[in-house]
Amino acid sequence: MEVEALLCVVVAVLACGLLWVWDSAGRMETPRQAGLLEVGSRALLVIAHPDDEAMFFAPTVLGLVRLKHQVSLLCFSAGNYYNQGEIRKKELLQSCDVLGIPSSCVMIIDNRDFPDNPGVQWDTELVASVLLQHIEVNDINLVVTFDAGGVSGHSNHVALYAAVRALHLEGKFPEGCSVLTLQSVNVLRKYLSLLDLPWSLLCTKDVLFVLTSEEVVQAKKAMSCHRSQLLWFRHLYVLFSRYMRINSLQFL
């Protein structure tokens, strides 16, 4: 009994310590993170499908809003793989409203050039052209999107990275426009939820966004707007995925 009691005390202390680190991390800023304010206040989140913004980028969006950025969103498809495009457009607008992105700052591309289909490779030059035009028209100075792994490996996610990478290498981004890419992690880390926080604190190179407990509730509410996508396994994703709580990002 004494051993069991000691184990309970140790577990309680570790849990309290982790919660303290979590709450502190949600409020801290790295030098690069604080520097985002110097870059400007017009951030563009570039995603492939409705629900990407909540499923993968909620900590980033809420973190940017916390830093007083004006956040807009460009979605390259309506998510019509199962003929639910019109429903998913409405769900995206509802989710963005929860996350603090006004509907006037949301653009959804719905055409045959960018089908919601993991088996179709989007044309890199076309994606880059559409993206660059949107950046220039809206005077964007911070672009946020997927990295080369696309988090889930979805080809549409990877296509967005290929486009921003091409624009970056060719020097076509407007002066003062920076690009942040969301770090993909292995499957184990992906589903460690808050337990991945110590590793994220050690390994993040540039920017780390960690949600406070109140913001986690907000992120889950945004994800719940995507009712058409909330199959049983996505409920498990919401519970266990680090991307609903932690985002590590790197500058190109």
Side-chain angles (χ1 to χ4, degrees):
M1 293 295 292
E2 292 181 359
V3 174
E4 292 179 357
L6 180 60
L7 287 174
C8 289
V9 171
V10 171
V11 170
V13 170
L14 289 174
C16 290
L18 184 58
L19 289 172
W20 180 82
V21 171
W22 178 25
D23 192 58
S24 299
R27 291 177 172 82
M28 75 176 187
E29 293 180 8
T30 65
R32 295 298 299 271
Q33 195 156 319
L36 286 174
L37 289 174
E38 299 175 4
V39 173
S41 60
R42 293 173 300 281
L44 175 67
L45 175 62
V46 184
I47 61 174
H49 318 104
D51 77 11
D52 289 349
E53 83 296 335
M55 187 176 293
F56 305 119
F57 290 96
T60 297
V61 174
L62 292 172
L64 290 172
V65 171
R66 188 195 308 154
L67 292 171
K68 308 302 181 184
H69 281 248
Q70 297 175 13
V71 183
S72 57
L73 181 144
L74 176 61
C75 184
F76 267 81
S77 82
N80 200 40
Y81 189 67
Y82 293 108
N83 298 316
Q84 296 176 311
E86 293 305 315
I87 294 173
R88 297 191 68 183
K89 288 180 187 178
K90 295 176 182 177
E91 292 174 343
L92 175 59
L93 292 175
Q94 293 169 356
S95 173
C96 286
D97 182 61
V98 172
L99 293 173
I101 306 175
S103 58
S104 60
C105 295
V106 177
M107 180 176 178
I108 305 171
I109 299 172
D110 185 8
N111 63 45
R112 295 179 180 179
D113 293 324
F114 309 115
D116 172 15
N117 190 329
V120 176
Q121 298 295 323
W122 292 353
D123 184 89
T124 300
E125 290 187 8
L126 185 56
V127 174
S129 175
V130 172
L131 175 58
L132 184 59
Q133 182 180 17
H134 190 84
I135 290 171
E136 292 174 341
V137 168
N138 294 279
D139 197 19
I140 299 298
N141 45 37
L142 177 64
V143 176
V144 180
T145 193
F146 295 98
D147 69 357
V151 178
S152 65
H154 197 298
S155 63
N156 298 164
H157 298 176
V158 176
L160 299 181
Y161 172 79
V164 298
R165 181 68 175 170
L167 290 172
H168 176 72
L169 290 175
E170 295 167 11
K172 291 185 177 180
F173 281 113
E175 184 177 355
C177 183
S178 302
V179 178
L180 276 173
T181 58
L182 181 63
Q183 179 183 352
S184 298
V185 298
N186 60 50
V187 174
L188 177 61
R189 289 188 62 194
K190 186 175 181 179
Y191 292 104
L192 279 178
S193 186
L194 187 58
L195 295 176
D196 188 63
L197 179 57
W199 189 256
S200 296
L201 289 170
L202 289 172
C203 296
T204 299
K205 295 181 179 180
D206 293 324
V207 177
L208 177 68
F209 287 116
V210 182
L211 297 185
T212 64
S213 53
E214 293 83 4
E215 289 171 334
V216 168
V217 174
Q218 193 174 352
K220 289 181 177 179
K221 184 179 179 182
M223 189 62 204
S224 70
C225 293
H226 295 282
R227 297 176 185 86
S228 68
Q229 305 305 300
L230 287 178
L231 304 176
W232 67 269
F233 57 87
R234 286 207 173 91
H235 286 285
L236 294 177
Y237 179 92
V238 170
L239 286 174
F240 296 109
S241 175
R242 74 188 289 277
Y243 290 101
M244 294 296 300
R245 295 160 179 80
I246 304 168
N247 275 176
S248 302
L249 303 104
Q250 185 173 355
F251 284 102
L252 279 184

